Amino acid sequence: MTLAEAATAATYDNRAAFADELIERARADERVVAVCNDSVGSSNLVAFRQEFPDRLINVGIAEQNMVGVGAGLAAAGLIPFVCAAGPFLTGRALEQVKADVVYSAHNVILCGMSPGMAYGELGPTHHSVEDLSWLRALPGLDIVVPADRHQTRQAVRQAAADPRPTYIRVGRYKVPDVTAPGDRLERGRFQLAREGADVTLIGAGTLVSRTLAAADLLAADGIEARVLNAAYIAPLDVEAIRAAAQTGAIVTAEEANISGGLGAAVALTVAAQGGGPVVRTLGLSDFAPTGSTDMLLEYFGLTAPAIAAAAREALAV
Amino acid sequence: MRGSAVLVTDSQQVSAWRVVRDVVETGSPAERAAVLAEQSRLIRRSVLAMIGRAQAGHIGGDFSVTDVLATLYFGVLRIDPARPDAPVRDRFILSKGHCAASLYSTLAFSGYFDPAALDTFMGPHSPLNGHPNRVKVPGVETNTGPLGHGLPVAVGEALGARLLGHDSRVFVVCGDGEMQEGSNWEALMSAAHYRLANLTLVIDRNRLQQGDRTEETNALDPLADKLAAFGWEVREVDGHDHTALLAAFAPAAGTRPVAVIANTIKGRGVSFIEDRVEWHHKVPSPDQIALALKELA
């Protein structure tokens, strides 16, 4: 997508896609239930509750119990989608996520709502930028970061059909489509969003559209950037990363802390094989100051011009 | 996931378990008490041998919870150790997962796996880790070890059974020290809110935690009043009296979940281990094991 297109493109709320698909799954399979922490509204579960009042389990403001209850529901044979704002789901209940869900291999779908810096001015307590680092340390947990409404729906559909524990990051603010409804979300694979051999840009979630726009800026300078949509962060697409290492440089962009998320995973993979290009990882390296989401994305260099500039610098090394 | 379990049902042992179950179900009260006491004795001797071999374990808590485990598996739980994954079954969670040796012994004597595997307890690559792992050990419903995890999972299982229309009951054992964990009080509220009469919480009230007496650390009393105030039907019994435990594990009287405070003695069954804080996870010497086995003869 060009910058001009991005500026005028229609945008969509991933939470709406999430809610619609969850209701469809619940209609198709009576084992599908939702669990939340007083977040019926913010997790977009109002319509779900109306249609399936008994299958919406709201444990109140009690995240440790919420995740434990999710594990128990899965153990009983249900398919629970445990929904809460990202920081509280993954931070407050991290040990429950580790021991009760992932280590116990229970089929729980953890839904981190409103991740990244979606809560802007509410500040770092409400930002979920550590989730990818924390959760990537748990072997056996699938981590899905859908980039748009189509991928969000597919992520929900696939998680409902797959017995593995899964974490889905469900974006809050509207983003443009970067995939078509028919594009397949493949487990453990990055999606090729744009061909190019000079440099590789790897974006996750909310940053995929910005990364595509950065590729347009680079193209204007005669630099052809490959763009990868890292919808799955675990399992990691090692093959795509090794192929990216054949281009002149790699730039990753994520709405997350850089110590442990997508960028760290890519850099580790490139370094381990040796002889690779420069890898620049864009993301957060500090708690955010007060500001809107847009302001904060700019502050941390997560805009199309900043991503393009990082690519040019990396190529110049 | 259970497909990767290394341990499998021991049909001979399942038959032995059925014989004991039959006595508990059809025998006189005295016969019932006698066979459950015998199972408890065998479990304690097994725990002693396991900890002696592994040179690690939690003997005090293993011995305080033994009679509860023997009563549940040989007298109460509607289970079929030959079919550990049967969709409709009663569920048991040992939230105080550090007392794995007593759970493993109970599961093995119930036929979930060959008791010979108990010899590998905490050995290299043994499925019998220091804390139970459901992926490797049939009969284990969820992985425990960090405290304050079992009760929320049990609440989920009880809710799930209700949603699926199963008449399963869910039992969970927490240590009393473990009731200091905030997650348990979140779960206590939920269970009462959802009126989970199919859920029974057993608190192993041995009044000792790792470092000191519970009441000297972060007092739990009046525990029964607190549980009642949270909306639970509370039953308080001698946690070493099999007959009293059988009665306490009867279904809920009404719509509230049931909390059984099992008053126990940490290290129960071996005089020099009983009610001493230092025996939380101390390993007995060979001489002490010989002495203990005499007391458990």
Side-chain angles (χ1 to χ4, degrees):
Chain A
M1 155 178 337
T2 66
L3 261 186
E5 279 168 0
T8 58
T11 55
Y12 304 93
D13 183 344
N14 285 356
R15 288 185 310 157
F18 167 82
D20 290 346
E21 187 62 38
L22 188 60
I23 287 170
E24 279 196 21
R25 290 306 100 207
R27 286 176 185 154
D29 188 335
E30 62 179 13
R31 295 172 302 164
V32 170
V33 296
V35 186
C36 72
N37 62 336
D38 191 33
S39 63
V40 177
S42 58
S43 293
N44 245 29
L45 294 169
V46 174
F48 185 97
R49 181 174 61 184
Q50 270 166 3
E51 190 165 340
F52 307 104
D54 295 340
R55 287 156 69 182
L56 186 278
I57 294 141
N58 179 0
V59 301
I61 307 163
E63 290 77 19
Q64 298 178 71
N65 184 45
M66 171 184 68
V67 174
V69 164
L73 287 163
L78 294 160
I79 303 173
F81 283 74
V82 177
C83 310
F88 315 129
L89 172 67
T90 65
R92 175 70 70 93
L94 184 56
E95 193 185 67
Q96 277 74 16
V97 171
K98 170 189 164 185
D100 304 348
V101 176
V102 186
Y103 182 46
S104 290
H106 285 308
N107 179 19
V108 176
I109 300 103
L110 303 159
C111 307
M113 313 302 291
S114 309
M117 298 180 290
Y119 281 121
E121 297 89 341
L122 296 189
T125 55
H126 284 56
H127 296 164
S128 184
V129 294
E130 303 86 0
D131 54 347
L132 301 181
S133 306
W134 290 337
L135 299 181
R136 227 169 51 76
L138 301 178
L141 177 67
D142 280 10
I143 301 176
V144 196
V145 185
D148 64 10
R149 56 183 175 147
H150 305 310
Q151 288 199 319
T152 302
R153 288 194 80 126
Q154 287 190 70
V156 171
R157 205 151 49 223
Q158 284 176 203
D162 187 312
R164 278 175 284 246
T166 303
Y167 175 67
I168 306 177
R169 243 186 175 212
V170 183
R172 179 184 187 85
Y173 58 85
K174 292 181 174 183
V175 289
D177 286 344
V178 291
T179 66
D183 290 352
R184 199 161 148 247
L185 176 67
E186 259 187 283
R187 176 172 183 269
R189 304 308 293 264
F190 294 165
Q191 196 194 35
L192 180 65
R194 178 182 173 128
E195 296 274 10
D198 296 334
V199 61
T200 304
L201 312 179
I202 309 177
T206 49
L207 289 176
V208 175
S209 60
R210 289 166 178 249
T211 306
L212 280 165
D216 286 343
L217 294 175
L218 292 169
D221 292 348
I223 301 169
E224 284 308 317
R226 179 180 307 167
V227 176
L228 299 174
N229 170 356
Y232 267 89
I233 291 185
L236 189 66
D237 191 346
V238 172
E239 202 180 305
I241 296 169
R242 288 190 180 143
Q246 303 300 313
T247 65
I250 298 174
V251 177
T252 64
E254 60 198 306
E255 206 175 320
N257 194 286
I258 55 170
S259 26
L262 167 68
V266 170
L268 188 69
T269 305
V270 173
Q273 70 170 17
V278 168
V279 180
R280 285 286 161 86
T281 62
L282 305 181
L284 279 73
S285 50
D286 199 356
F287 291 119
T290 305
S292 68
T293 304
D294 270 342
M295 184 201 108
L296 296 176
L297 288 171
E298 189 161 350
Y299 178 83
F300 286 110
L302 296 170
T303 60
I307 296 167
R312 284 189 205 99
E313 283 167 26
L315 283 170
V317 170
Chain B
M1 291 293 163
R2 189 56 65 68
S4 64
V6 189
L7 299 171
V8 293
T9 297
D10 178 341
S11 48
Q12 212 175 336
Q13 198 62 42
V14 174
S15 305
W17 170 79
R18 287 217 169 94
V19 169
V20 179
R21 260 319 266 253
D22 283 348
V23 175
V24 176
E25 279 162 23
T26 60
S28 69
E31 286 169 331
R32 242 179 252 168
V35 293
L36 290 175
E38 174 61 5
Q39 291 305 319
S40 295
R41 188 182 71 85
L42 295 174
I43 293 166
R44 287 193 174 91
R45 287 180 67 91
S46 168
V47 166
L48 202 56
M50 289 165 75
I51 289 176
R53 261 190 305 267
Q55 287 296 295
H58 292 83
I59 199 163
D62 279 323
F63 282 3
S64 69
V65 80
T66 297
D67 299 300
V68 166
L69 293 175
T71 304
L72 284 171
Y73 278 85
F74 289 92
V76 178
L77 294 173
R78 289 167 301 171
I79 46 175
D80 180 359
R83 294 175 63 227
D85 290 330
V88 184
R89 62 183 189 270
D90 284 357
R91 314 272 177 149
F92 175 78
I93 296 173
L94 182 67
S95 190
K96 43 177 273 180
H98 57 285
C99 296
S102 52
L103 177 65
Y104 294 152
S105 299
T106 306
L107 291 173
F109 296 159
S110 301
Y112 283 98
F113 56 89
D114 182 350
L118 297 171
D119 292 353
T120 72
F121 176 56
M122 288 173 85
H125 299 285
S126 169
L128 303 180
N129 188 267
H131 296 93
N133 184 334
R134 72 176 278 270
V135 178
K136 298 182 179 172
V137 188
V140 172
E141 298 284 354
T142 196
N143 300 6
T144 53
L147 299 175
H149 285 245
L151 183 55
V153 176
V155 168
E157 288 189 337
L159 262 172
R162 176 194 287 174
L163 282 166
L164 291 165
H166 298 166
D167 71 343
S168 309
R169 295 178 67 194
V170 180
F171 291 81
V172 53
V173 169
C174 289
D176 53 356
E178 189 181 359
M179 295 311 291
Q180 292 160 356
E181 291 280 9
S183 53
N184 280 333
W185 296 89
E186 295 180 2
L188 286 166
M189 290 174 74
S190 278
H193 177 82
Y194 283 104
R195 298 193 167 272
L196 297 177
N198 57 346
L199 174 64
T200 298
L201 161 67
V202 185
I203 298 175
D204 182 8
R205 186 78 173 109
N206 61 34
R207 296 188 166 266
L208 281 173
Q209 51 195 100
Q210 177 173 294
D212 203 343
R213 302 212 160 265
T214 59
E215 303 313 285
E216 300 299 323
T217 307
N218 188 6
L220 297 164
D221 282 335
L223 186 55
D225 292 348
K226 287 176 181 169
L227 295 166
F230 270 66
W232 286 61
E233 179 188 336
V234 183
R235 302 169 181 173
E236 195 156 1
V237 291
D238 175 348
H240 301 304
D241 178 341
H242 299 95
T243 304
L245 286 169
L246 277 174
F249 294 154
T255 59
R256 289 178 297 165
V258 174
V260 175
I261 299 177
N263 288 307
T264 56
I265 295 167
K266 203 162 174 174
R268 165 78 173 200
V270 175
S271 57
F272 58 89
I273 298 178
E274 284 188 359
D275 198 35
R276 289 173 195 270
V277 71
E278 67 268 25
W279 280 100
H280 176 76
H281 57 202
K282 191 171 147 182
V283 176
S285 67
D287 286 351
Q288 288 173 318
I289 288 179
L291 264 176
L293 285 174
K294 257 188 209 169
E295 292 193 22
L296 294 168

